[in-house]
Every structure is written in structure tokens, then in C-alpha cells.
Amino acid sequence: MRILVVEDDVTLNRQLADALKEAGYVVDVAFDGEEGHFLGDTEPYDAIILDIGLPEVDGITVLEKWRSAGKGMPVLLLTARDRWSDKVAGIDAGADDYVAKPFHVEEVLARIRALIRRAAGHSSSEITCGPVRLDTKSSKASVDGKPLKLTSHEYRLLAYLMHHKGEVVSRTELVEHMYDQDFDRDSNTIEVFVGRLRKKMGVDLIETVRGLGYRIQAPTTNAN
């Protein structure tokens, strides 16, 4: 899962980015509204954390531009302002949620998890597919109750497929959501990670859809 943090406070930006990375997300950062708008307009994100009080272009304007352009990614607003009108303006502009400063980073993480789950149609912090269970709160996975020991890339791959279970996900889409903007992306590595993941899971849930990508879904049982 790939997140964009748009916050001009360098220390807070770093704290949020570090916490998100520790939780298993891929993170891009921007420090003003102009750069933030450009990244959100040109890169695919699973969610964006957007400060309202930004230099160059304010957060509400950035959000309105994204929504006007048809960008539907979940957006969590950060605001240091106490006026309820600012919060209303943010929601009316298309924000999905907001957090007022000062806040605990854990609250931001919880709200981001919830926004991503809802965007993918999941209401619980635990996503299951057959014997595989993904706990988005702890960033851990298991098969038949036994923990899976996964690398960060393997976890990101499994998490993205699980959030979109039943859907065919292309290699390009996986690459775009598994690596940040500065990573030397190579879609061929996805096949390697899929192979490793299948081996560690020990269950045949990840299907290769020839010419299209991959899909994870629970096996169907045929009634006799």
C-alpha cells in the first residue's frame, strides 16, 4: 500500500512517514501544496494525508483540484485550526476524514487503515481469503492460524492482493503500489515475489491470469 504525506512541518512529516513505513506502507512525501498536488495528480496512491495549511497552495484547494480531476483516493486532512468551518470546508471539498493537531500518530495510522479498508470494501481490520488471514492493524499474516514470516515486499504484495481479493491486479498496478516514486521499478520482480509468497503460504490461492496479472481468491468447492 502506497501513501502520500503532504505536510510542510518537516519534523511532523518525517514522524508520519517513519511511522507509516514501520507499519509496512510505501511512503512518498511533499512539503508544499504545489508538489503535493502534482504527486497526487500523477501517481497512484491508496491514501493521502493532507495538511490544510500548506505553502504555495492550501490543502483545500489541492483537494478540490484532485476531486475536480476525478481523483478518488481516500484523503485524510490534518488541521491545526479549531474552527469548525474549516473542517466542514474540508469534508465538502471531498475529504474522507480529518484529524486535528496535535494528535497521536497512532490515531492517524488507525484512520488511514480504516480509509483504505473502506475504499476496498472491507469493514474489518482483518481480511480473510480461505485459510489466509491478514491483520491490517498489526501488519501480520497467517495461514490456518500459523504466522507467515514475510519480507516487507512480500507483505505489501499480499496486502494489496488481499485488499483487492477476487480482482485481477496487473503487474504494473502492483509495482505502482509497492514501490515509492524514487525506486527503480521492474515489473519482472513481481513474479519472483509471487513465487516466494506462494511457497511460504503453502496454499494455492494466487492465480496467474495470463496476459493480465494476478488474482487471489478462496478455492471453490464443487458439490457432488
Side-chain angles (χ1 to χ4, degrees):
M1 295 297 178
R2 190 175 173 197
I3 310 292
L4 172 64
V5 177
V6 189
E7 165 61 60
D8 62 313
D9 185 311
V10 176
T11 300
L12 180 56
N13 193 314
R14 185 186 307 114
Q15 288 175 343
L16 288 169
D18 288 347
L20 288 162
K21 291 175 183 177
E22 182 68 23
Y25 296 101
V26 177
V27 184
D28 291 332
V29 299
F31 298 93
D32 62 64
E34 186 175 347
E35 181 185 14
H37 171 259
F38 174 77
L39 288 175
D41 197 46
T42 57
E43 296 286 338
Y45 293 103
D46 295 290
I48 294 179
I49 298 173
L50 176 68
D51 185 33
I52 286 183
L54 292 169
E56 304 297 338
V57 184
D58 68 89
I60 298 295
T61 301
V62 169
L63 180 56
E64 288 175 338
K65 287 183 177 181
W66 284 336
R67 296 310 191 218
S68 295
K71 302 296 181 180
M73 64 281 184
V75 174
L76 174 68
L77 283 183
L78 303 180
T79 174
R81 304 170 187 174
D82 296 327
R83 293 185 303 174
W84 62 267
S85 58
D86 291 322
K87 299 171 185 177
V88 171
I91 297 298
D92 285 343
D96 298 273
D97 200 356
Y98 67 85
V99 175
K101 300 176 183 177
F103 52 76
H104 292 288
V105 173
E106 289 77 9
E107 180 184 0
V108 173
L109 292 177
R111 290 180 182 272
I112 283 295
R113 288 195 299 268
L115 289 180
I116 292 175
R117 288 199 312 269
R118 291 170 192 158
H122 303 288
S123 58
S124 172
S125 62
E126 294 184 355
I127 304 174
T128 60
C129 182
V132 178
R133 184 179 65 137
L134 182 77
D135 187 338
T136 61
K137 184 177 180 180
S138 64
S139 301
K140 294 181 181 179
S142 61
V143 177
D144 287 325
K146 298 178 180 179
L148 279 174
K149 293 183 179 180
L150 304 175
T151 66
S152 60
H153 286 94
E154 291 165 354
Y155 175 80
R156 290 170 190 163
L157 173 60
L158 178 60
Y160 196 82
L161 290 174
M162 290 284 282
H163 275 83
H164 298 85
K165 65 179 180 179
E167 303 174 19
V168 177
V169 182
S170 70
R171 289 185 181 184
T172 300
E173 184 176 347
L174 287 169
V175 167
E176 289 176 337
H177 289 266
M178 284 178 61
Y179 303 119
D180 61 40
Q181 61 174 334
D182 297 324
F183 195 88
D184 184 14
R185 302 170 182 175
D186 181 1
S187 63
N188 292 325
T189 61
I190 297 297
E191 186 176 352
V192 175
F193 290 131
V194 168
R196 291 178 183 173
L197 195 52
R198 283 171 171 158
K199 185 176 181 180
K200 289 185 177 182
M201 290 167 58
V203 289
D204 189 18
L205 297 182
I206 302 178
E207 173 191 3
T208 299
V209 182
R210 189 179 297 274
L212 295 176
Y214 301 96
R215 173 172 52 207
I216 190 168
Q217 58 185 356
T220 57
T221 55
N222 297 321
N224 292 326

